[in-house]
């Protein structure tokens, strides 16, 4: 019987404790009440008393005693475990802040200092503490020799080259420019051949347009003499006449041993031979001159012979026409040669010197240009490496030109190509590295046999890399945890956490324990990702989430504290560290200012560009972005930018879930909760239209006051919209929803105690609805706190009147007061004041309408509204409803004035239209 009482009492006590614990936890505080201490003492006394009773009446021979002893033992065990659990739970909640801080220090130290767990006692370069021998025979790889051989093979591997498209484009542009210059010079000289090669051979045409002016004049005289001789009947034809000496004007006889060429033996055009002009008429009269012998000039004699032959086969008129055409060609040729000289003056490396540019036929020139392009394309496709000997390139060019260019143009084409061709092959670093790695991977490891009992290292000798490798193979390396370094790291982290706590206490946002846990988890993600070997860590997600949840100050503090700790403790690229920190700082600073998911997505793009840009700038500053590795640096910068964008996307995806799990309110979530299409708000507008209109006006008043006082406007707006959702449990129980119908409290209930219960129930039912729809705790707080522990004055007055007429009735103020709590924040305090003043302002509006004929609306609102609101706010202050809200007495007057200003904006004065008689009104219609 006593055991049954004991177990029953124990069960009831646990139920009571559990309810008390849940209630206190919902309020956000866990306070150890004196009543709880009395209960625990009573439990302990009862337990001890039952134990003594069972021990004093023990009978080993009685089965009943055995059963009772078993029950007693079980009850004692339950009592002990439950007491330990309760005491441990109370202690954990009392010291929960310290526990979380300790967990933060341990976890951060454990992850950041992960390399300190498995450190070896025996190290390379240190003396051996004792002589160590091989415990068994084994074949061990000599990693140093293996690495040396693989490195040698890697160095001997061929470099992989790639064609530089930019260089090819530049070479083609230069080549085309040279060919355009050649086209321009040939265009000045005119078409070639300029006459039928059957009549005048190609060599003669070359001579006729390029010979000196003196030879041209002599040639005309020779033709004229031949004509005169034929008229005198010498009997010799022009074709058979071969004068041994021909007189030229103003010339002395000079023997010539060589024919007149197109270019001099020195390789350049014979400038002394170029005629200044050719203005003389083809028909030149002989003059008295000293004779000059041109008989040795084969070009001269061949030209005279072919012209005389042409005269013999055709008319004299046709010959004169041909001579006139030659006279026109010669000046153009002179201009073309002058153009060549000008081109040589402008560019010292002129490729057309000593060439046959003007001597090529038009058809040959076109073939030459096409052949040059084809040869250039082939050579560039095959590639020209750096350091290629000049003679090899010349041989390659000659070999290509033999196929595509006429023989007479090979020299010209060769000079053109050699002038523009440059090395167009560059080393492909990535392909070369892969090729070297592949070659190195094919080298087998160098194995060394170590026999049983062989001395690995003697006592006092320095441990070499090979000794260390052998000891590691035999698992003879003694490993230990570097406690001293871990303690030092833990001290640094503890200092950083101390700075964080100091910052936390000086910001407006008060962190809960769950907030501290979330901050810890987000902070651990950065070194955690680095620990698993990924350099693209979660800086952007950390900054974006911390800034969005807790504001820029806390986010910047976390990022700033992590920077030196990770920079000192972990082996990671400083460029990567600074790039990540830059993205985290940007996310922390801007995230809370944004009001939509789309803006957060754009912030993710900005974070990505910031991380990539910082990485590239750091690499440029330290000089690693130049040389052959520039494209690797550029690729890494792009990867850091992509990682910043990727982690930002992850943060955006996790944000709604974290807000739900950790009960967070962000500006974006508050904006979503304030959407009138939310289920609760749609029900409120449909089922309780009067309450919904009341809510909108209260929200307008509260928002204006919150904005003026620097409070969280988004939180005030969302919280106000949900503060009266509990009225949906009985809409007609509230006068704003009765729409002129009889008041049920006067016609049906007629009991102020029951009416007060209905009114109070809108708070409890509102909390039930809020929890059912998973509203944040910060929004739920507006439901009870906007009423605080205020007195339901109307029904309290009715109860007092009934008590006066019926002495058997007792009025307890607690029956007519809300359960509270009173406002715990400035935001809920503002909503309480707005809710209290809204009804007064509406009643003042009604009275103003009644007095509208006698007094102006402006005078009524200005005189009465401010006085009435100040009285209401003063009563709330005197009733101690705002002692925990953080609002000051000075702010009460500001709030009252703000409410009056907003009310006047809603109910401004309108024009008084004149009253019309009914008949006039009908006529107007």
């Amino acid at each position: 019987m006593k055991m049954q009482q004991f177990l029953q009492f124990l069960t009831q006590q646990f139920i009571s404790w559990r309810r008390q614990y849940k209630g206190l936890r919902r309020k956000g505080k866990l306070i150890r009440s004196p009543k709880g201490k009395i209960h625990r003492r009573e439990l302990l006394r009862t337990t001890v008393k039952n134990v003594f009773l069972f021990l004093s009446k023990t009978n080993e021979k009685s089965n009943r005693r055995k059963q009772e002893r078993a029950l007693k033992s079980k009850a004692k065990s339950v009592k002990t475990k439950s007491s330990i659990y309760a005491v441990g739970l109370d202690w954990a909640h009392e010291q929960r802040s310290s526990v979380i801080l300790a967990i933060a220090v341990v976890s951060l130290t454990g992850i950041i200092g992960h390399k300190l767990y498995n450190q070896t006692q025996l190290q390379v370069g240190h003396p051996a503490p004792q002589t160590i021998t091989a415990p068994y025979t084994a074949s061990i790889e000599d990693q140093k020799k293996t690495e040396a051989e693989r490195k040698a093979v890697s160095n001997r591997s061929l470099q992989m080259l790639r064609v530089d498209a930019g260089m090819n484009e530049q070479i083609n542009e230069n080549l085309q420019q040279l060919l355009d210059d050649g086209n321009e010079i040939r265009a000045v000289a005119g078409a070639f051949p300029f006459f039928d090669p059957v009549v005048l051979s190609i060599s003669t045409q070359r001579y006729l347009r390029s010979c000196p002016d003196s030879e041209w004049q002599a040639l005309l005289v020779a033709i004229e003499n031949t004509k005169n001789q034929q008229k005198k009947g010498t009997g010799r034809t022009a074709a058979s006449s071969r004068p041994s000496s021909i007189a030229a004007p103003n010339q002395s006889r000079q023997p010539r041993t060589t024919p007149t060429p197109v270019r001099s033996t020195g390789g350049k055009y014979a400038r002394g031979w170029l005629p200044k002009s050719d203005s003389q008429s083809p028909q030149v009269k002989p003059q008295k001159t000293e004779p000059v012998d041109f008989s040795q000039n084969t070009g001269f004699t061949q030209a005279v012979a072919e012209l005389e032959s042409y005269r013999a086969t055709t008319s004299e008129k046709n010959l004169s026409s041909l001579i006139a055409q030659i006279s026109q060609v010669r000046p153009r040729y002179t201009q073309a040669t002058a153009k060549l000289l000008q081109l040589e003056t402008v560019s010292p490396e002129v490729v057309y010197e000593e060439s046959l540019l003007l001597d090529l036929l038009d058809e040959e020139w076109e073939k030459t240009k096409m052949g040059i392009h084809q040869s250039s394309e082939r050579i560039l496709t095959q590639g020209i490496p750096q350091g290629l000997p000049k003679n090899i390139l010349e041989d390659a060019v000659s070999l290509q030109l033999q196929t595509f260019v006429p023989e007479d143009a090979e020299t010209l084409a060769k000079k053109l190509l050699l002038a523009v061709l440059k090395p167009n092959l560059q080393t492909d670093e990535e392909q070369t590295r892969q090729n070297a790695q592949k070659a190195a991977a094919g080298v087998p490891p160098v194995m060394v046999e170590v026999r049983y009992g062989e001395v690995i290292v003697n006592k006092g000798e320095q441990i070499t890399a090979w000794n260390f490798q052998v000891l590691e193979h035999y698992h003879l390396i003694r490993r230990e945890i570097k406690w001293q370094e871990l303690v030092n790291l833990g001290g640094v982290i503890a200092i950083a956490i101390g700075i964080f706590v100091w910052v936390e206490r000086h910001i407006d946002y008060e962190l809960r324990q769950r907030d501290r846990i979330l901050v810890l988890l987000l902070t651990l993600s950065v070194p955690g990702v680095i620990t698993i070997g990924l350099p693209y860590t979660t800086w952007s997600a950390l900054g974006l989430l911390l800034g969005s949840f807790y504001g820029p100050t806390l986010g910047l503090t976390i990022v700033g504290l992590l920077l030196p700790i990770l920079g000192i403790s972990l082996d990671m690229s400083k460029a990567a560290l600074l790039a990540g920190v830059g993205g985290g700082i940007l996310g922390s600073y801007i995230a809370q200012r944004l009001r939509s998911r789309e803006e957060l997505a754009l912030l993710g793009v900005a974070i990505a560009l910031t991380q990539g840009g910082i990485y590239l700038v750091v690499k440029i500053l330290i000089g690693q972005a130049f040389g052959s590795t520039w494209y690797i640096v550029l690729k890494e910068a792009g990867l850091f930018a992509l990682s910043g964008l990727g982690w930002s996307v992850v943060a955006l995806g996790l944000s709604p879930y974290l807000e739900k799990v950790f009960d967070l309110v962000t500006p974006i979530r508050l904006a979503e909760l304030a959407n009138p299409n939310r289920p609760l708000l749609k029900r409120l507008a449909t089922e309780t239209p009067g309450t919904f209109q009341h809510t909108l006006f209260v929200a307008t008043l509260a928002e204006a006051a919150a904005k003026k006082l620097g409070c969280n406007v988004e939180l005030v707006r969302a919280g106000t919209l949900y503060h009266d959702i509990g009225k949906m449990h009985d809409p007609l129980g509230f006068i704003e929803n009765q729409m002129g119908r009889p008041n049920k409290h006067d016609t049906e209930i007629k009991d102020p105690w029951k009416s007060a219960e209905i009114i109070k129930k809108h708070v409890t039912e509102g909390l039930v609805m809020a929890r059912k729809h998973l509203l944040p705790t910060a929004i739920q707080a507006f439901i009870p706190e906007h009423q605080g522990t205020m007195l339901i004055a109307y029904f309290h007055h009715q109860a007092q009147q009934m008590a006066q007429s019926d002495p058997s009735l007792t009025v307890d103020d607690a029956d007519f007061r809300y359960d509270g709590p009173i406002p715990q924040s400035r935001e809920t305090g503002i909503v309480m004041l707005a809710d209290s003043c809204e009804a007064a302002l509406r009643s003042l509006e009604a009275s103003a309408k009644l007095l509208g004929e006698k007094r102006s609306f402006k005078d009524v609102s200005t005189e009465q509204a401010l006085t009435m609101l100040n009285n209401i706010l003063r009563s709330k202050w005197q009733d101690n409803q705002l002692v925990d809200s953080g609002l000051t007495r000075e702010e009460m007057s500001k709030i009252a004035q703000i409410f009056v200003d907003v009310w006047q904006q809603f109910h401004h004065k309108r024009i008084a239209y004149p009253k019309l008689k009914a008949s006039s009104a009908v006529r107007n219609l």
Side-chain angles (χ1 to χ4, degrees):
M1 192 67 182
K2 291 178 180 179
M3 174 58 68
Q4 186 177 1
Q5 293 176 356
F6 168 72
L7 294 177
Q8 185 177 3
F9 171 78
L10 188 63
T11 303
Q12 292 175 354
Q13 187 65 38
F14 276 131
I15 293 173
S16 176
W17 283 357
R18 185 177 180 184
R19 289 176 179 172
Q20 181 184 4
Y21 169 74
K22 286 186 175 181
L24 294 173
R25 187 178 180 184
R26 283 196 297 270
K27 295 176 183 179
K29 298 179 179 180
L30 192 62
I31 305 172
R32 297 187 64 182
S33 61
K35 186 177 179 180
K37 295 181 179 179
I38 295 172
H39 287 171
R40 283 191 290 274
R41 294 195 191 101
E42 185 178 352
L43 173 63
L44 183 59
R45 285 196 299 268
T46 305
T47 303
V48 173
K49 183 178 179 181
N50 281 277
V51 170
F52 277 115
L53 286 174
F54 288 127
L55 290 176
S56 62
K57 298 181 180 181
T58 301
N59 186 356
E60 296 294 335
K61 297 180 180 180
S62 173
N63 292 332
R64 180 173 174 273
R65 297 300 186 191
K66 291 181 180 179
Q67 294 174 0
E68 289 180 355
R69 188 166 59 251
L71 290 173
K72 180 268 300 181
S73 177
K74 183 177 181 180
K76 183 178 180 181
S77 175
V78 170
K79 181 269 300 181
T80 303
K81 292 180 180 178
S82 301
S83 299
I84 294 174
Y85 173 77
V87 172
L89 184 63
D90 286 343
W91 179 87
H93 273 277
E94 278 185 354
Q95 306 295 329
R96 58 190 181 278
S97 297
S98 301
V99 170
I100 292 176
L101 292 178
I103 292 173
V105 172
V106 173
S107 58
L108 285 170
T109 304
I111 292 180
I112 297 177
H114 67 281
K115 291 186 177 181
L116 303 176
Y117 301 151
N118 199 25
Q119 296 294 315
T120 59
Q121 290 183 347
L122 300 179
Q123 296 181 1
V124 176
H126 291 189
Q130 63 185 25
T131 300
I132 305 175
T133 59
Y136 55 87
T137 301
S139 182
I140 304 173
E141 177 188 356
D142 190 337
Q143 296 180 356
K144 187 175 181 180
K145 292 183 179 180
T146 302
E147 185 65 25
E149 291 191 7
R150 290 177 177 175
K151 186 175 181 180
V153 172
S154 177
N155 292 335
R156 290 196 302 269
S157 63
L158 296 177
Q159 283 191 340
M160 305 301 293
L161 303 177
R162 61 184 179 88
V163 175
D164 187 353
M167 179 58 69
N168 284 358
E169 184 177 356
Q170 181 181 353
I171 291 173
N172 290 329
E173 289 179 357
N174 295 338
L175 178 60
Q176 187 61 43
Q177 181 62 43
L178 287 178
L179 294 177
D180 290 342
D181 292 341
N183 289 333
E184 184 179 354
I185 294 172
R186 287 183 60 87
V188 172
F192 188 76
F194 57 84
F195 201 74
D196 188 0
V198 176
V199 177
L200 290 179
S201 64
I202 298 298
S203 60
T204 299
Q205 292 189 43
R206 287 173 181 155
Y207 170 77
L208 288 175
R209 67 173 186 169
S210 62
C211 67
D213 187 62
S214 59
E215 293 189 19
W216 171 247
Q217 297 296 334
L219 186 145
L220 293 177
V221 170
I223 294 175
E224 185 66 22
N225 292 336
T226 304
K227 178 181 177 182
N228 294 333
Q229 291 175 3
Q230 289 178 351
K231 288 181 179 181
K232 292 178 180 180
T234 57
R236 291 183 299 174
T237 65
S240 61
S241 176
R242 297 291 183 270
S244 58
S245 64
I246 302 174
N250 301 325
Q251 297 287 338
S252 61
R253 180 175 298 273
Q254 297 179 359
R256 297 181 61 93
T257 58
T258 58
T260 305
V262 177
R263 57 177 183 263
S264 67
T265 56
K268 294 188 177 182
Y269 286 94
R271 299 183 181 92
W273 294 357
L274 296 178
K276 296 182 180 179
S277 64
D278 193 10
S279 59
Q280 295 183 359
S281 170
Q283 303 295 332
V284 180
K285 296 180 179 181
Q287 300 178 3
K288 293 181 179 181
T289 60
E290 294 293 332
V292 180
D293 187 10
F294 292 106
S295 61
Q296 301 299 322
N297 191 334
T298 57
F300 180 86
T301 56
Q302 183 178 350
V304 172
E306 290 185 8
L307 288 174
E308 291 179 353
S309 175
Y310 179 68
R311 181 167 57 186
T313 58
T314 184
S315 64
E316 187 69 30
K317 182 178 180 181
N318 289 339
L319 177 63
S320 300
S321 176
L322 174 59
I323 293 175
Q325 183 177 355
I326 296 172
S327 299
Q328 294 175 359
V329 169
R330 286 176 55 79
R332 299 187 64 177
Y333 184 85
T334 302
Q335 294 178 8
T337 54
K339 186 78 173 177
L340 275 173
L341 292 175
Q342 181 181 1
L343 189 65
E344 181 181 357
T345 304
V346 174
S347 177
E349 298 180 0
V350 177
V351 298
Y352 291 118
E353 61 180 359
E354 301 183 6
S355 66
L356 297 175
L357 174 65
L358 299 177
D359 290 345
L360 292 176
L361 305 181
D362 289 348
E363 181 181 358
E364 291 177 338
W365 173 244
E366 294 299 327
K367 289 182 179 179
T368 300
K369 291 192 295 182
M370 184 178 299
I372 289 174
H373 280 297
Q374 292 176 343
S375 301
S376 173
E377 183 178 356
R378 279 195 171 191
I379 293 172
L380 293 179
T381 301
Q382 294 174 354
I384 304 173
Q386 296 285 347
L388 182 69
K390 185 177 181 181
N391 61 328
I392 296 179
L393 180 60
E394 291 176 354
D395 293 342
V397 170
S398 300
L399 184 63
Q400 293 291 339
L401 292 175
Q402 288 177 2
T403 306
F404 301 108
V405 176
E407 182 178 358
D408 293 341
E410 285 186 11
T411 303
L412 171 64
K414 183 176 180 181
K415 289 183 66 66
L416 281 170
L417 283 178
L418 291 177
V420 298
L421 289 179
K422 296 178 181 179
N424 68 332
L425 291 180
Q426 290 185 347
T427 302
D428 191 338
E429 299 288 345
E430 183 66 21
Q431 193 65 30
T432 301
R433 183 180 60 82
Q434 293 180 2
N435 189 40
Q437 289 178 350
K438 185 176 180 180
V443 176
V446 178
M447 307 301 294
V448 177
E449 184 178 7
V450 179
R451 297 185 174 277
Y452 167 73
E454 182 179 342
V455 175
I456 300 174
V457 60
N458 292 314
K459 181 179 179 180
E461 291 183 354
Q462 285 190 349
I463 300 175
T464 63
W466 168 246
N467 298 146
F468 186 86
Q469 186 177 345
V470 175
L471 294 172
E472 181 71 16
H473 177 82
Y474 285 117
H475 303 288
L476 297 176
I477 299 296
R478 301 172 185 175
R479 297 189 177 273
E480 63 178 354
I481 298 176
K482 299 294 185 180
W483 290 107
Q484 183 63 39
E485 297 181 16
L486 278 176
V487 169
N488 295 338
L489 178 60
V492 173
I493 293 175
I495 294 173
I497 291 177
I499 297 174
F500 167 78
V501 172
W502 182 85
V503 173
E504 176 194 342
R505 291 180 179 178
H506 288 77
I507 62 176
D508 295 333
Y509 194 95
E510 183 179 355
L511 295 184
R512 304 161 296 175
Q513 304 309 322
R514 66 183 69 185
D515 296 325
R516 295 188 178 94
I517 293 174
L518 177 59
V519 170
L520 175 60
L521 293 176
L522 293 176
T523 305
L524 287 173
S525 67
V526 177
V529 173
I530 297 175
T531 300
I532 63 178
L534 185 64
Y536 314 108
T537 190
T538 62
W539 286 105
S540 58
L542 174 70
L544 197 149
L545 291 175
L546 286 179
S548 179
F549 293 160
Y550 306 113
T553 303
L554 204 62
L556 292 174
T557 301
I558 296 294
V559 174
L561 291 174
L562 274 179
L563 172 60
I565 294 176
L566 297 183
I568 296 172
S569 304
L570 297 179
D571 296 332
M572 60 181 303
S573 169
K574 298 303 181 284
L577 181 62
L578 292 176
V581 169
I585 290 175
L586 181 63
S588 301
Y589 187 71
I590 299 180
Q592 201 172 52
R593 303 181 181 182
L594 307 182
R595 294 295 182 268
S596 67
R597 307 285 180 190
E598 181 181 2
E599 292 178 344
L600 284 178
L602 293 177
L603 176 59
V605 175
I607 290 174
L609 295 177
T610 300
Q611 289 195 177
I614 291 177
Y615 183 87
L616 187 60
V617 169
V618 172
K619 287 293 186 179
I620 290 175
L621 291 178
I622 62 179
Q624 294 185 6
F626 305 102
S628 59
T629 60
W630 65 268
Y631 67 94
I632 298 178
V633 174
L634 194 61
K635 181 182 73 173
E636 285 295 321
L639 291 175
F640 269 96
L642 289 177
S643 70
L645 181 61
W647 284 118
S648 299
V649 171
V650 172
L652 289 176
L654 289 177
S655 179
Y657 301 101
L658 295 177
E659 291 171 0
K660 291 278 188 182
V661 173
F662 290 91
D663 192 24
L664 297 167
V665 286
T666 61
I668 295 176
R669 191 181 183 194
L670 291 173
E672 293 172 350
L673 290 172
N675 189 339
N677 291 319
R678 302 284 293 189
L680 273 178
L681 297 182
K682 290 181 69 174
R683 282 186 56 197
L684 185 66
T686 304
E687 300 176 14
T688 58
T691 299
F692 185 69
Q693 294 301 322
H694 155 79
T695 298
L696 293 180
F697 189 36
V698 172
T700 303
L701 296 174
E703 280 186 60
K707 186 176 182 180
K708 191 71 174 180
L709 299 180
C711 300
N712 191 334
V713 179
E714 289 86 0
L715 179 60
V716 169
R717 180 190 302 118
T720 308
L721 291 175
Y722 290 93
H723 81 286
D724 269 347
I725 58 175
K727 292 183 178 180
M728 288 188 289
H729 85 282
D730 188 1
L732 297 179
F734 302 90
I735 192 169
E736 66 264 21
N737 298 314
Q738 293 173 1
M739 304 299 180
R741 286 176 285 187
N743 191 338
K744 63 183 293 187
H745 296 284
D746 297 333
T747 59
E748 299 178 12
I749 301 176
K750 299 179 181 180
D751 185 350
W753 280 269
K754 290 184 180 180
S755 296
E757 284 297 324
I758 293 174
I759 300 300
K760 290 169 63 176
K761 197 174 182 181
H762 90 275
V763 172
T764 56
E765 289 295 327
L767 287 173
V768 171
M769 293 180 184
R771 291 172 189 143
K772 180 180 179 181
H773 288 80
L774 302 178
L775 293 182
T777 302
I779 301 297
Q780 295 181 25
F782 284 84
I783 297 174
E785 292 180 17
H786 87 278
Q787 296 291 359
T789 58
M790 290 191 302
L791 188 67
I792 306 175
Y794 182 80
F795 295 112
H796 181 261
H797 180 67
Q798 282 188 355
Q800 285 180 333
Q801 289 181 338
M802 293 176 66
Q804 289 178 0
S805 61
D806 186 358
S808 64
L809 296 176
T810 303
V811 178
D812 186 359
D813 288 352
D815 295 335
F816 295 91
R817 282 191 178 273
Y818 289 98
D819 296 331
I822 61 176
Q824 300 296 305
S825 66
R826 290 161 60 86
E827 287 78 10
T828 56
I830 290 173
V831 174
M832 169 185 274
L833 299 178
D835 185 68
S836 301
C837 294
E838 187 269 344
L841 291 173
R842 286 189 182 276
S843 64
L844 186 61
E845 178 187 353
S847 64
K849 289 180 180 179
L850 293 175
L851 299 174
E853 297 179 0
K854 300 179 180 180
R855 302 175 62 186
S856 68
F857 179 80
K858 182 177 181 181
D859 293 337
V860 173
S861 63
T862 302
E863 293 175 359
Q864 296 181 0
L866 194 57
T867 302
M868 183 182 296
L869 295 191
N870 279 321
N871 291 334
I872 294 173
L873 299 187
R874 188 182 301 109
S875 65
K876 294 292 182 290
W877 184 267
Q878 293 173 352
D879 196 23
N880 294 326
Q881 296 296 316
L882 301 170
V883 293
D884 294 340
S885 66
L887 293 173
T888 63
R889 186 67 186 89
E890 291 75 13
E891 291 173 334
M892 296 292 104
S893 300
K894 294 182 181 180
I895 292 174
Q897 185 62 52
I898 294 169
F899 288 169
V900 171
D901 294 341
V902 174
W903 180 65
Q904 285 182 335
Q905 292 171 8
F906 268 78
H907 305 286
H908 55 80
K909 184 178 179 180
R910 292 176 173 83
I911 297 175
Y913 290 95
K915 295 184 177 180
L916 301 176
K917 294 181 180 180
S919 59
S920 299
V922 172
R923 284 196 302 271
N924 290 334
L925 291 174

